[in-house]
Amino acid sequence: NNIESLNEKTFSNLFPKLIEINLHNNKIREIEKNSFKNLPSLHYLVLSNNQLESNTHGFDSLTIFKWFNITYNNLKSIKSFFFNNSKKIHLIDLSHNSINQIEPNGFYSLENELKFLNLSYNLFLSIKSYYFNNLYGLNYLNLANNKISSIEEDSFLKLKFLTILDLSDNCLFKLDLKLFSNTINLDELILKNNLIKSMNQNLFLKLNKLRIL
């Protein structure tokens, strides 16, 4: 289709029981505030293959949705409080964008609910310690196919329940000794296709549950 924008009148009051919207492969550049306010039962939202370039207030009214796909857009960053009112999201897929930073509180309000976060195929050069510092319940984190050359030592400190971490196809040449000190439930760690030449023998000391490396 050729939809270019969404606004408060797009869905009016016609779909109070609608649980899923698929807007894949349109030309959406703008989502105005309250565009989804008349969809109180919405759980699944697909906005892949559009032309969104910046964060929008259009998601403020989505308070119970659980699954969010915004792949293949033109997002450059995750602004502070982007998911401010969306406290029930379990899965966020932001892969195949142009994201190079996450502002403080970018994932605010998702502390315990978010389980799956895909940030692969973006333009990150480094990972800062505050990017994921409130995602206590996260199980899956994909950072593959970026341009990451450095990760601050506390970046994964709060991710105690993380089970899968994909750092493959980046530009990492070393890993801080404390990087995995609290990811004690890590089951799968993918590091292939980086620039790492050697690793300290104590790097994986606390990863007693690790099965795949």
Side-chain angles (χ1 to χ4, degrees):
N1 291 302
N2 294 304
I3 300 172
E4 296 184 355
S5 65
L6 302 177
N7 58 52
E8 188 174 345
K9 297 180 180 180
T10 302
F11 300 105
S12 64
N13 291 310
L14 300 177
F15 311 106
K17 295 184 179 181
L18 193 69
I19 64 171
E20 180 176 349
I21 295 178
N22 191 334
L23 293 166
H24 170 78
N25 203 25
N26 277 278
K27 297 180 180 179
I28 300 172
R29 292 178 177 271
E30 181 181 10
I31 299 176
E32 296 181 11
K33 189 172 184 178
N34 295 321
S35 293
F36 302 104
K37 79 170 188 176
N38 296 312
L39 301 172
S41 301
L42 188 65
H43 282 183
Y44 307 99
L45 178 60
V46 178
L47 289 165
S48 54
N49 288 83
N50 279 285
Q51 299 174 17
L52 292 167
E53 294 186 359
S54 62
N55 288 11
T56 170
H57 294 293
F59 305 121
D60 288 353
S61 56
L62 292 171
T63 57
I64 66 169
F65 84 129
K66 299 178 179 180
W67 197 88
F68 184 54
N69 182 337
I70 194 170
T71 60
Y72 292 96
N73 276 271
N74 299 313
L75 292 176
K76 304 295 191 301
S77 66
I78 303 299
K79 301 293 186 183
S80 297
F81 306 107
F82 183 33
F83 300 99
N84 191 25
N85 295 319
S86 307
K87 299 180 180 180
K88 300 294 184 181
I89 304 181
H90 296 325
L91 182 151
I92 297 175
D93 194 342
L94 290 158
S95 62
H96 297 276
N97 277 279
S98 299
I99 302 169
N100 58 30
Q101 68 169 329
I102 300 170
E103 294 185 0
N105 296 307
F107 295 110
Y108 179 80
S109 83
L110 303 179
E111 287 88 349
N112 298 309
E113 294 295 330
L114 187 63
K115 306 300 180 185
F116 180 105
L117 177 59
N118 190 351
L119 290 165
S120 63
Y121 292 93
N122 277 286
L123 297 176
F124 287 103
L125 298 176
S126 63
I127 300 299
K128 307 300 183 184
S129 60
Y130 62 84
Y131 280 2
F132 314 117
N133 65 353
N134 68 321
L135 299 180
Y136 310 119
L138 196 66
N139 298 143
Y140 176 95
L141 176 59
N142 192 341
L143 292 166
N145 288 279
N146 279 274
K147 299 179 183 296
I148 301 168
S149 62
S150 65
I151 303 175
E152 293 185 2
E153 66 174 31
D154 294 336
S155 296
F156 307 136
L157 185 63
K158 302 296 180 65
L159 306 184
K160 183 178 180 180
F161 297 102
L162 194 67
T163 57
I164 300 175
L165 175 59
D166 193 343
L167 295 168
S168 62
D169 295 282
N170 278 290
C171 302
L172 291 166
F173 59 91
K174 69 175 182 177
L175 298 172
D176 190 276
L177 187 58
K178 298 180 180 179
L179 191 60
F180 306 119
S181 62
N182 204 40
T183 55
I184 57 176
N185 288 296
L186 206 59
D187 177 78
E188 183 174 346
L189 174 60
I190 307 170
L191 294 168
K192 65 180 181 179
N193 295 329
N194 276 281
L195 303 175
I196 301 170
K197 293 184 178 180
S198 64
M199 290 183 286
N200 189 293
Q201 62 181 358
N202 294 319
L203 182 63
F204 309 119
L205 190 61
K206 296 187 178 181
L207 303 185
N208 297 322
K209 297 184 179 180
L210 192 65
R211 295 188 309 110
I212 301 173
L213 177 60

